[in-house]
Amino acid sequence: MSKCNQNLLSLYVHWPYCESKCPYCDFNSHVNEKVNVNDWIQSYKNQLFAMKEELIKNSINFRQLNTIFFGGGTPSLMPLEIVESIIDLSKEIFGFKKDIEITLEANPSSYESKKFIKFKQMGINRVSIGVQSLNNNYLQFLGRLHNIKDIKFALNDASEIFENISVDLIYAFYGQKIHDWTKELESFLNTYNLQHISLYQLTIEEGTKFFKDHKNGIIKLIDNDKAAEFYDISNKILSDFRFIKYEVSNYAKLGFKCKHNLNYWNSENWIGVGPGAYGRLWSLNKNKDRIEYQNYKNPKTWLSKNLLQTEFEKIIKLNSNVSDIDTLTMGLRLYEGLEISKINNLSIINFKSLKELQKQNILSFKNDILKVNKKHMIKLNSILNYLTSN
Ligand SMILES: C[S@@+](CC[C@H](N)C(=O)[O-])C[C@H]1O[C@@H](n2cnc3c(N)ncnc32)[C@H](O)[C@@H]1O
Ligand code: SF4
Protein backbone atom coordinates (compact mmCIF):
# COMPACT_ATOMS: atom_id res chain seq x y z
CA MET A 1 0.00 0.00 0.00
CA SER A 2 1.25 3.46 -0.75
CA LYS A 3 1.93 6.15 1.76
CA CYS A 4 0.17 8.63 -0.47
CA ASN A 5 -0.92 11.83 1.22
CA GLN A 6 -4.65 11.52 0.69
CA ASN A 7 -5.06 15.24 1.30
CA LEU A 8 -3.40 16.15 -1.96
CA LEU A 9 -5.20 16.06 -5.27
CA SER A 10 -3.98 17.75 -8.45
CA LEU A 11 -5.62 18.39 -11.79
CA TYR A 12 -3.63 18.48 -15.05
CA VAL A 13 -5.36 20.02 -18.07
CA HIS A 14 -3.77 19.42 -21.47
CA TRP A 15 -4.22 21.88 -24.35
CA PRO A 16 -2.71 20.34 -27.49
CA TYR A 17 -2.28 23.31 -29.81
CA CYS A 18 0.64 25.63 -30.60
CA GLU A 19 1.35 28.34 -33.16
CA SER A 20 4.02 26.12 -34.73
CA LYS A 21 5.81 22.89 -33.96
CA CYS A 22 9.29 23.29 -32.47
CA PRO A 23 11.83 20.91 -34.02
CA TYR A 24 12.96 19.43 -30.68
CA CYS A 25 9.54 18.89 -29.12
CA ASP A 26 7.88 15.50 -28.69
CA PHE A 27 5.04 16.73 -26.49
CA ASN A 28 1.48 16.12 -27.64
CA SER A 29 1.33 19.42 -29.52
CA HIS A 30 -0.11 20.22 -32.91
CA VAL A 31 -0.29 23.35 -35.00
CA ASN A 32 -3.30 25.39 -34.00
CA GLU A 33 -6.61 24.59 -35.62
CA LYS A 34 -9.90 26.35 -35.33
CA VAL A 35 -11.68 24.89 -32.36
CA ASN A 36 -15.33 24.69 -31.46
CA VAL A 37 -15.32 26.25 -28.01
CA ASN A 38 -18.56 24.64 -26.84
CA ASP A 39 -17.45 21.16 -27.87
CA TRP A 40 -14.16 21.52 -26.02
CA ILE A 41 -15.87 22.83 -22.90
CA GLN A 42 -18.35 19.94 -23.02
CA SER A 43 -15.60 17.33 -23.40
CA TYR A 44 -13.49 18.70 -20.53
CA LYS A 45 -16.66 18.89 -18.46
CA ASN A 46 -17.54 15.27 -19.16
CA GLN A 47 -14.03 14.23 -18.18
CA LEU A 48 -14.14 16.14 -14.89
CA PHE A 49 -17.43 14.47 -13.98
CA ALA A 50 -16.10 11.07 -15.05
CA MET A 51 -13.11 11.55 -12.73
CA LYS A 52 -15.43 12.47 -9.88
CA GLU A 53 -17.12 9.09 -10.44
CA GLU A 54 -13.74 7.34 -10.44
CA LEU A 55 -12.81 8.94 -7.12
CA ILE A 56 -16.06 7.64 -5.64
CA LYS A 57 -15.54 4.18 -7.17
CA ASN A 58 -12.10 3.98 -5.61
CA SER A 59 -13.37 5.12 -2.21
CA ILE A 60 -11.30 8.29 -2.37
CA ASN A 61 -13.29 10.92 -0.53
CA PHE A 62 -13.65 14.17 -2.38
CA ARG A 63 -10.48 16.09 -1.84
CA GLN A 64 -10.22 19.75 -2.46
CA LEU A 65 -7.77 20.38 -5.26
CA ASN A 66 -4.45 21.75 -4.14
CA THR A 67 -3.15 22.44 -7.66
CA ILE A 68 -4.28 22.81 -11.26
CA PHE A 69 -1.77 22.93 -14.13
CA PHE A 70 -2.73 24.02 -17.66
CA GLY A 71 0.03 22.48 -19.79
CA GLY A 72 0.56 21.85 -23.44
CA GLY A 73 0.98 22.61 -26.18
CA THR A 74 0.48 26.28 -25.52
CA PRO A 75 -2.42 26.70 -23.10
CA SER A 76 -2.12 30.50 -23.14
CA LEU A 77 -3.67 30.16 -26.62
CA MET A 78 -6.80 28.60 -25.09
CA PRO A 79 -9.97 30.57 -25.58
CA LEU A 80 -10.74 32.32 -22.28
CA GLU A 81 -14.18 30.73 -22.00
CA ILE A 82 -12.63 27.26 -21.90
CA VAL A 83 -10.15 28.14 -19.13
CA GLU A 84 -12.88 29.84 -17.14
CA SER A 85 -15.29 26.90 -17.47
CA ILE A 86 -12.65 24.39 -16.36
CA ILE A 87 -11.68 26.45 -13.32
CA ASP A 88 -15.28 27.14 -12.28
CA LEU A 89 -16.42 23.59 -12.80
CA SER A 90 -13.50 21.98 -11.01
CA LYS A 91 -14.12 24.30 -8.06
CA GLU A 92 -17.75 23.23 -8.03
CA ILE A 93 -16.96 19.52 -8.26
CA PHE A 94 -13.87 19.11 -6.09
CA GLY A 95 -13.54 22.35 -4.16
CA PHE A 96 -10.34 24.35 -3.88
CA LYS A 97 -7.89 24.44 -1.02
CA LYS A 98 -7.43 27.95 0.31
CA ASP A 99 -3.93 28.28 -1.12
CA ILE A 100 -4.54 26.46 -4.39
CA GLU A 101 -1.79 26.90 -7.01
CA ILE A 102 -3.15 27.34 -10.56
CA THR A 103 -0.44 27.43 -13.23
CA LEU A 104 -0.72 28.20 -16.93
CA GLU A 105 2.08 27.69 -19.48
CA ALA A 106 2.62 30.55 -21.91
CA ASN A 107 4.83 31.44 -24.86
CA PRO A 108 6.41 34.90 -25.32
CA SER A 109 5.47 34.91 -29.03
CA SER A 110 1.75 35.01 -28.30
CA TYR A 111 1.82 36.94 -25.02
CA GLU A 112 -1.08 39.40 -24.74
CA SER A 113 -1.38 41.66 -21.74
CA LYS A 114 -5.19 41.89 -21.73
CA LYS A 115 -5.62 38.15 -21.90
CA PHE A 116 -3.27 37.61 -18.95
CA ILE A 117 -5.17 40.10 -16.81
CA LYS A 118 -8.28 38.01 -17.51
CA PHE A 119 -6.43 34.79 -16.66
CA LYS A 120 -5.51 36.33 -13.31
CA GLN A 121 -9.15 37.31 -12.68
CA MET A 122 -10.21 33.73 -13.37
CA GLY A 123 -7.88 32.38 -10.69
CA ILE A 124 -4.58 31.66 -12.47
CA ASN A 125 -1.91 32.63 -9.94
CA ARG A 126 1.26 31.22 -11.48
CA VAL A 127 2.55 31.47 -15.05
CA SER A 128 5.28 29.39 -16.59
CA ILE A 129 6.80 31.22 -19.53
CA GLY A 130 8.71 29.34 -22.24
CA VAL A 131 11.66 31.72 -22.62
CA GLN A 132 13.86 28.78 -23.77
CA SER A 133 16.99 30.77 -24.62
CA LEU A 134 18.60 34.07 -23.70
CA ASN A 135 20.21 34.44 -27.08
CA ASN A 136 18.53 35.18 -30.44
CA ASN A 137 20.74 32.73 -32.35
CA TYR A 138 19.74 29.82 -30.15
CA LEU A 139 16.09 30.89 -30.19
CA GLN A 140 16.28 30.63 -33.94
CA PHE A 141 18.06 27.28 -33.74
CA LEU A 142 15.22 26.03 -31.50
CA GLY A 143 12.68 27.18 -34.09
CA ARG A 144 11.04 29.57 -31.65
CA LEU A 145 8.83 32.35 -32.98
CA HIS A 146 9.97 34.88 -30.36
CA ASN A 147 13.11 36.92 -29.79
CA ILE A 148 14.78 38.64 -26.83
CA LYS A 149 12.54 41.70 -27.23
CA ASP A 150 9.40 39.58 -26.95
CA ILE A 151 10.80 37.95 -23.81
CA LYS A 152 11.42 41.36 -22.29
CA PHE A 153 7.88 42.49 -23.00
CA ALA A 154 6.28 39.27 -21.73
CA LEU A 155 8.30 39.09 -18.51
CA ASN A 156 7.96 42.78 -17.65
CA ASP A 157 4.26 42.72 -18.27
CA ALA A 158 3.64 39.39 -16.51
CA SER A 159 5.48 40.58 -13.42
CA GLU A 160 3.02 43.49 -13.15
CA ILE A 161 0.19 40.96 -13.02
CA PHE A 162 1.52 37.84 -11.26
CA GLU A 163 3.53 37.28 -8.11
CA ASN A 164 4.67 33.83 -9.10
CA ILE A 165 6.51 33.55 -12.41
CA SER A 166 8.49 30.59 -13.62
CA VAL A 167 10.55 30.39 -16.81
CA ASP A 168 11.74 27.39 -18.83
CA LEU A 169 15.22 27.53 -20.32
CA ILE A 170 17.20 25.14 -22.50
CA TYR A 171 21.01 25.43 -22.42
CA ALA A 172 24.30 23.61 -22.99
CA PHE A 173 24.11 23.50 -26.78
CA TYR A 174 26.91 22.14 -28.91
CA GLY A 175 29.29 25.02 -29.55
CA GLN A 176 27.87 27.18 -26.75
CA LYS A 177 30.61 28.82 -24.71
CA ILE A 178 30.30 28.50 -20.93
CA HIS A 179 31.47 32.08 -20.54
CA ASP A 180 28.72 33.39 -22.85
CA TRP A 181 26.03 31.31 -21.13
CA THR A 182 27.02 32.41 -17.62
CA LYS A 183 27.05 36.07 -18.65
CA GLU A 184 23.59 35.70 -20.24
CA LEU A 185 22.19 33.88 -17.23
CA GLU A 186 23.58 36.38 -14.72
CA SER A 187 22.32 39.35 -16.67
CA PHE A 188 18.89 37.70 -17.04
CA LEU A 189 18.64 37.02 -13.30
CA ASN A 190 19.73 40.57 -12.53
CA THR A 191 17.08 42.00 -14.84
CA TYR A 192 13.94 40.08 -13.90
CA ASN A 193 12.29 39.21 -10.63
CA LEU A 194 11.49 35.52 -11.07
CA GLN A 195 10.33 33.01 -8.51
CA HIS A 196 11.07 29.74 -10.27
CA ILE A 197 13.27 28.39 -13.05
CA SER A 198 13.23 25.08 -14.93
CA LEU A 199 16.57 24.56 -16.60
CA TYR A 200 16.92 21.78 -19.15
CA GLN A 201 19.74 20.51 -21.31
CA LEU A 202 18.62 19.72 -24.84
CA THR A 203 17.55 16.11 -25.32
CA ILE A 204 17.00 14.51 -28.71
CA GLU A 205 13.59 12.88 -28.78
CA GLU A 206 12.49 10.24 -31.25
CA GLY A 207 10.01 11.43 -33.87
CA THR A 208 11.21 15.04 -33.86
CA LYS A 209 12.97 16.96 -36.63
CA PHE A 210 16.03 17.21 -34.38
CA PHE A 211 16.08 13.42 -34.13
CA LYS A 212 16.56 13.13 -37.90
CA ASP A 213 19.05 16.00 -37.95
CA HIS A 214 21.04 14.37 -35.18
CA LYS A 215 21.05 11.04 -36.99
CA ASN A 216 22.29 12.79 -40.14
CA GLY A 217 25.04 14.57 -38.23
CA ILE A 218 23.48 18.02 -38.74
CA ILE A 219 22.97 18.48 -35.00
CA LYS A 220 25.55 17.52 -32.43
CA LEU A 221 25.30 17.28 -28.66
CA ILE A 222 27.94 18.26 -26.13
CA ASP A 223 29.79 15.48 -24.33
CA ASN A 224 28.97 14.41 -20.75
CA ASP A 225 31.91 16.22 -19.14
CA LYS A 226 30.98 19.49 -20.78
CA ALA A 227 27.32 18.93 -19.84
CA ALA A 228 28.35 18.44 -16.21
CA GLU A 229 30.43 21.61 -16.34
CA PHE A 230 27.43 23.61 -17.62
CA TYR A 231 25.25 22.03 -14.92
CA ASP A 232 27.63 22.83 -12.05
CA ILE A 233 28.22 26.43 -13.04
CA SER A 234 24.48 27.04 -13.58
CA ASN A 235 23.75 25.57 -10.12
CA LYS A 236 26.26 27.94 -8.61
CA ILE A 237 24.88 31.03 -10.34
CA LEU A 238 21.30 30.19 -9.44
CA SER A 239 22.29 29.61 -5.85
CA ASP A 240 24.07 33.02 -5.81
CA PHE A 241 20.73 34.51 -6.88
CA ARG A 242 18.92 32.75 -3.98
CA PHE A 243 17.32 30.02 -6.05
CA ILE A 244 17.08 26.76 -4.11
CA LYS A 245 17.62 23.67 -6.21
CA TYR A 246 14.93 21.20 -5.22
CA GLU A 247 14.84 18.82 -8.18
CA VAL A 248 17.20 17.74 -10.98
CA SER A 249 16.14 20.64 -13.27
CA ASN A 250 14.10 22.89 -10.99
CA TYR A 251 15.03 25.87 -8.82
CA ALA A 252 12.79 28.04 -6.66
CA LYS A 253 13.03 31.05 -4.42
CA LEU A 254 11.99 30.33 -0.84
CA GLY A 255 8.28 29.39 -0.74
CA PHE A 256 7.92 29.02 -4.52
CA LYS A 257 8.53 25.33 -5.26
CA CYS A 258 6.02 24.12 -7.84
CA LYS A 259 3.39 22.35 -5.74
CA HIS A 260 1.90 20.65 -8.79
CA ASN A 261 5.10 18.97 -9.89
CA LEU A 262 5.89 18.03 -6.29
CA ASN A 263 2.67 16.01 -6.31
CA TYR A 264 3.98 14.01 -9.30
CA TRP A 265 7.44 13.52 -7.86
CA ASN A 266 5.96 12.44 -4.54
CA SER A 267 3.65 9.97 -6.36
CA GLU A 268 0.44 11.51 -5.01
CA ASN A 269 -3.02 11.48 -6.63
CA TRP A 270 -3.73 13.45 -9.75
CA ILE A 271 -6.42 13.67 -12.40
CA GLY A 272 -5.54 14.36 -16.05
CA VAL A 273 -8.00 15.77 -18.59
CA GLY A 274 -7.52 16.64 -22.25
CA PRO A 275 -5.87 14.86 -25.20
CA GLY A 276 -3.06 12.55 -24.10
CA ALA A 277 -3.33 13.60 -20.45
CA TYR A 278 -3.09 10.85 -17.90
CA GLY A 279 -4.03 10.67 -14.26
CA ARG A 280 -3.07 8.37 -11.42
CA LEU A 281 -4.97 7.51 -8.28
CA TRP A 282 -4.19 5.28 -5.32
CA SER A 283 -7.37 3.30 -4.90
CA LEU A 284 -8.53 2.89 -1.32
CA ASN A 285 -10.40 -0.30 -2.19
CA LYS A 286 -9.26 -3.74 -1.07
CA ASN A 287 -6.05 -4.11 -3.10
CA LYS A 288 -4.93 -0.50 -2.81
CA ASP A 289 -3.96 -0.47 -6.48
CA ARG A 290 -2.36 2.40 -8.33
CA ILE A 291 -4.73 3.11 -11.22
CA GLU A 292 -3.77 5.00 -14.34
CA TYR A 293 -6.27 6.75 -16.63
CA GLN A 294 -5.00 7.34 -20.16
CA ASN A 295 -6.69 9.68 -22.62
CA TYR A 296 -6.72 9.44 -26.39
CA LYS A 297 -3.76 11.42 -27.68
CA ASN A 298 -5.06 12.72 -30.98
CA PRO A 299 -7.11 15.88 -30.30
CA LYS A 300 -9.88 15.02 -32.75
CA THR A 301 -10.19 11.45 -31.48
CA TRP A 302 -10.19 12.70 -27.89
CA LEU A 303 -12.92 15.19 -28.69
CA SER A 304 -15.11 12.63 -30.40
CA LYS A 305 -14.64 10.15 -27.53
CA ASN A 306 -15.54 12.66 -24.86
CA LEU A 307 -18.17 14.89 -26.36
CA LEU A 308 -21.19 12.82 -25.39
CA GLN A 309 -19.69 10.96 -22.48
CA THR A 310 -16.17 10.16 -21.40
CA GLU A 311 -14.26 7.25 -22.82
CA PHE A 312 -10.66 6.79 -21.70
CA GLU A 313 -8.33 5.07 -24.11
CA LYS A 314 -7.20 2.82 -21.27
CA ILE A 315 -7.67 2.40 -17.57
CA ILE A 316 -4.94 0.19 -16.15
CA LYS A 317 -3.98 -1.13 -12.77
CA LEU A 318 -0.25 -0.60 -12.54
CA ASN A 319 1.39 -3.73 -11.27
CA SER A 320 3.12 -3.13 -7.99
CA ASN A 321 6.60 -3.55 -9.50
CA VAL A 322 5.94 -0.84 -12.12
CA SER A 323 4.43 1.44 -9.53
CA ASP A 324 7.36 0.93 -7.11
CA ILE A 325 9.94 1.66 -9.83
CA ASP A 326 7.99 4.80 -10.72
CA THR A 327 7.84 5.95 -7.09
CA LEU A 328 11.62 5.40 -6.81
CA THR A 329 12.42 7.12 -10.13
CA MET A 330 10.24 10.13 -9.33
CA GLY A 331 11.25 10.40 -5.68
CA LEU A 332 14.99 10.34 -6.32
CA ARG A 333 14.63 13.39 -8.58
CA LEU A 334 13.98 15.41 -5.44
CA TYR A 335 16.81 16.89 -3.46
CA GLU A 336 15.03 16.00 -0.25
CA GLY A 337 15.09 12.41 -1.45
CA LEU A 338 12.53 9.66 -1.06
CA GLU A 339 10.96 8.12 2.03
CA ILE A 340 11.87 4.48 1.48
CA SER A 341 8.64 3.29 3.14
CA LYS A 342 6.77 4.57 0.06
CA ILE A 343 8.15 1.53 -1.77
CA ASN A 344 5.96 -1.53 -1.20
CA ASN A 345 8.43 -4.18 -2.16
CA LEU A 346 12.06 -3.33 -1.52
CA SER A 347 13.23 -6.17 -3.75
CA ILE A 348 13.25 -3.69 -6.67
CA ILE A 349 16.42 -2.29 -5.08
CA ASN A 350 19.71 -4.10 -5.48
CA PHE A 351 21.19 -3.69 -2.00
CA LYS A 352 24.70 -4.60 -3.14
CA SER A 353 24.53 -1.71 -5.63
CA LEU A 354 23.07 0.53 -2.94
CA LYS A 355 26.04 -0.22 -0.63
CA GLU A 356 28.47 0.50 -3.43
CA LEU A 357 26.74 3.81 -4.26
CA GLN A 358 26.84 4.75 -0.57
CA LYS A 359 30.52 3.86 -0.37
CA GLN A 360 31.22 6.16 -3.31
CA ASN A 361 29.16 8.90 -1.68
CA ILE A 362 26.77 8.99 -4.64
CA LEU A 363 23.73 7.99 -2.58
CA SER A 364 22.91 8.44 1.08
CA PHE A 365 20.43 6.37 3.08
CA LYS A 366 19.68 7.79 6.52
CA ASN A 367 16.55 7.86 8.71
CA ASP A 368 14.46 6.10 6.07
CA ILE A 369 15.39 8.71 3.42
CA LEU A 370 17.15 7.64 0.24
CA LYS A 371 18.85 10.57 -1.44
CA VAL A 372 21.16 11.19 -4.40
CA ASN A 373 24.10 13.42 -3.57
CA LYS A 374 23.58 16.86 -5.22
CA LYS A 375 26.82 16.62 -7.18
CA HIS A 376 25.71 13.41 -8.88
CA MET A 377 22.14 14.40 -9.81
CA ILE A 378 23.06 14.86 -13.45
CA LYS A 379 23.79 11.11 -13.65
CA LEU A 380 20.43 10.16 -12.12
CA ASN A 381 19.40 7.83 -14.96
CA SER A 382 22.50 5.70 -14.78
CA ILE A 383 22.34 5.69 -10.96
CA LEU A 384 18.78 4.37 -11.16
CA ASN A 385 19.74 1.68 -13.66
CA TYR A 386 22.54 0.50 -11.42
CA LEU A 387 20.38 0.65 -8.28
CA THR A 388 17.62 -1.47 -9.77
CA SER A 389 19.75 -3.87 -11.82
CA ASN A 390 19.85 -7.55 -10.86
C1 LIG B 1 5.35 21.42 -22.73
S1 LIG B 1 6.81 22.26 -22.97
C2 LIG B 1 6.39 23.95 -22.72
C3 LIG B 1 5.28 24.57 -23.24
C4 LIG B 1 5.35 25.83 -24.02
N1 LIG B 1 4.59 25.59 -25.19
C5 LIG B 1 6.73 26.24 -24.48
O1 LIG B 1 7.24 25.68 -25.44
O2 LIG B 1 7.26 27.18 -23.92
C6 LIG B 1 7.71 22.07 -21.49
C7 LIG B 1 9.18 22.41 -21.49
O3 LIG B 1 9.98 21.29 -21.76
C8 LIG B 1 11.22 21.70 -22.29
N2 LIG B 1 11.54 20.83 -23.41
C9 LIG B 1 10.70 20.34 -24.34
N3 LIG B 1 11.37 19.53 -25.20
C10 LIG B 1 12.67 19.52 -24.81
C11 LIG B 1 13.86 18.88 -25.30
N4 LIG B 1 13.85 18.10 -26.36
N5 LIG B 1 15.02 19.10 -24.62
C12 LIG B 1 15.04 19.89 -23.52
N6 LIG B 1 13.96 20.51 -23.04
C13 LIG B 1 12.78 20.33 -23.66
C14 LIG B 1 11.07 23.13 -22.73
O4 LIG B 1 11.84 23.97 -21.91
C15 LIG B 1 9.60 23.40 -22.54
O5 LIG B 1 9.33 24.69 -22.11
S1 SF4 C 1 5.58 25.68 -28.32
FE1 SF4 C 1 6.10 24.28 -26.62
S2 SF4 C 1 4.68 22.58 -26.73
FE2 SF4 C 1 4.52 23.75 -28.65
S3 SF4 C 1 5.84 22.68 -30.06
FE3 SF4 C 1 7.06 24.28 -29.11
S4 SF4 C 1 8.00 23.32 -27.29
FE4 SF4 C 1 6.37 21.99 -27.98
Side-chain angles (χ1 to χ4, degrees):
M1 190 181 93
S2 107
K3 288 235 176 121
C4 163
N5 178 347
Q6 291 289 338
N7 275 320
L8 301 177
L9 180 64
S10 288
L11 166 64
Y12 174 74
V13 181
H14 192 79
W15 180 255
Y17 296 119
C18 295
E19 288 178 293
S20 66
K21 182 78 187 175
C22 304
Y24 56 88
C25 174
D26 77 335
F27 283 79
N28 186 23
S29 57
H30 309 261
V31 175
N32 210 359
E33 299 171 14
K34 223 176 144 33
V35 296
N36 180 320
V37 170
N38 290 334
D39 285 358
W40 278 79
I41 290 179
Q42 189 57 46
S43 300
Y44 282 121
K45 189 172 170 179
N46 288 340
Q47 287 230 299
L48 289 169
F49 278 114
M51 286 314 300
K52 167 183 160 180
E53 294 304 317
E54 291 300 321
L55 287 168
I56 296 172
K57 246 200 249 166
N58 289 293
S59 310
I60 303 169
N61 289 334
F62 277 8
R63 302 289 157 204
Q64 291 178 320
L65 291 173
N66 82 312
T67 70
I68 302 180
F69 194 101
F70 288 87
T74 308
S76 52
L77 295 175
M78 279 172 101
L80 286 163
E81 305 94 295
I82 304 184
V83 176
E84 188 166 35
S85 304
I86 293 172
I87 294 180
D88 291 351
L89 191 66
S90 46
K91 184 169 190 180
E92 198 183 304
I93 298 179
F94 306 105
F96 283 0
K97 283 207 188 304
K98 220 173 56 235
D99 57 349
I100 186 168
E101 172 193 279
I102 311 185
T103 305
L104 177 112
E105 284 182 341
N107 280 10
S109 54
S110 52
Y111 184 90
E112 286 171 58
S113 187
K114 276 193 198 143
K115 194 169 184 186
F116 279 74
I117 292 172
K118 297 233 172 74
F119 282 141
K120 170 81 184 278
Q121 288 163 352
M122 287 171 191
I124 305 282
N125 52 24
R126 181 175 186 271
V127 282
S128 168
I129 301 184
V131 167
Q132 312 304 358
S133 178
L134 307 175
N135 173 312
N136 278 331
N137 292 333
Y138 286 119
L139 284 171
Q140 212 173 8
F141 167 70
L142 291 171
R144 301 297 293 197
L145 299 180
H146 65 268
N147 58 28
I148 297 294
K149 245 170 127 182
D150 302 318
I151 293 171
K152 188 172 173 188
F153 173 72
L155 288 182
N156 282 337
D157 193 81
S159 55
E160 299 280 315
I161 307 172
F162 297 95
E163 279 150 28
N164 190 351
I165 297 178
S166 177
V167 302
D168 285 0
L169 289 173
I170 305 180
Y171 74 119
F173 300 106
Y174 184 83
Q176 191 173 23
K177 301 266 182 300
I178 289 197
H179 175 79
D180 295 343
W181 160 247
T182 53
K183 286 276 154 292
E184 285 164 5
L185 183 61
E186 281 168 346
S187 143
F188 182 67
L189 297 172
N190 263 321
T191 310
Y192 301 104
N193 176 23
L194 306 168
Q195 284 65 48
H196 188 278
I197 294 196
S198 303
L199 196 56
Y200 305 106
Q201 297 200 353
L202 181 68
T203 53
I204 299 294
E205 307 292 344
E206 218 171 325
T208 61
K209 177 174 181 299
F210 272 13
F211 187 79
K212 279 190 211 138
D213 291 350
H214 182 247
K215 228 169 134 188
N216 296 331
I218 300 168
I219 285 181
K220 292 191 175 116
L221 290 179
I222 58 170
D223 63 41
N224 289 345
D225 289 345
K226 201 86 191 150
E229 225 179 301
F230 267 100
Y231 190 68
D232 291 345
I233 189 91
S234 307
N235 282 340
K236 182 175 178 317
I237 294 173
L238 282 156
S239 152
D240 291 345
F241 280 84
R242 290 181 295 111
F243 280 91
I244 302 155
K245 184 166 173 59
Y246 68 104
E247 194 264 352
V248 185
S249 312
N250 284 280
Y251 308 76
K253 294 254 177 80
L254 195 63
F256 288 96
K257 288 180 187 174
C258 175
K259 291 199 271 181
H260 186 85
N261 286 340
L262 281 172
N263 277 5
Y264 295 155
W265 295 320
N266 283 315
S267 297
E268 305 289 356
N269 286 330
W270 75 88
I271 294 165
V273 299
Y278 71 99
R280 283 188 183 175
L281 298 176
W282 288 106
S283 171
L284 291 180
N285 291 341
K286 209 171 90 215
N287 293 329
K288 315 284 182 223
D289 293 311
R290 181 92 159 132
I291 303 183
E292 183 169 290
Y293 298 84
Q294 297 177 3
N295 275 297
Y296 288 96
K297 213 170 161 193
N298 180 283
K300 285 193 181 125
T301 314
W302 176 84
L303 200 65
S304 70
K305 298 284 187 186
N306 288 282
L307 193 51
L308 294 179
Q309 62 178 65
T310 277
E311 182 186 325
F312 293 101
E313 184 173 23
K314 270 189 212 156
I315 301 181
I316 49 173
K317 278 183 194 156
L318 297 182
N319 83 37
S320 96
N321 198 45
V322 171
S323 133
D324 275 344
I325 296 264
D326 188 70
T327 303
L328 180 73
T329 308
M330 287 297 189
L332 284 187
R333 298 183 67 94
L334 292 170
Y335 264 31
E336 285 175 6
L338 160 85
E339 234 179 275
I340 198 79
S341 55
K342 282 192 169 177
I343 309 277
N344 293 316
N345 188 344
L346 288 178
S347 66
I348 60 157
I349 294 176
N350 179 333
F351 279 85
K352 227 167 123 192
S353 304
L354 173 60
K355 280 226 166 76
E356 185 56 34
L357 290 167
Q358 280 180 286
K359 207 165 98 192
Q360 292 180 30
N361 210 12
I362 293 175
L363 255 181
S364 74
F365 185 29
K366 269 186 220 142
N367 305 328
D368 199 31
I369 302 286
L370 189 61
K371 193 153 97 176
V372 176
N373 177 330
K374 277 189 183 187
K375 240 176 61 194
H376 297 282
M377 267 286 171
I378 196 166
K379 295 181 290 199
L380 182 61
N381 288 344
S382 44
I383 295 171
L384 274 162
N385 282 339
Y386 184 59
L387 188 64
T388 53
S389 63
N390 288 314

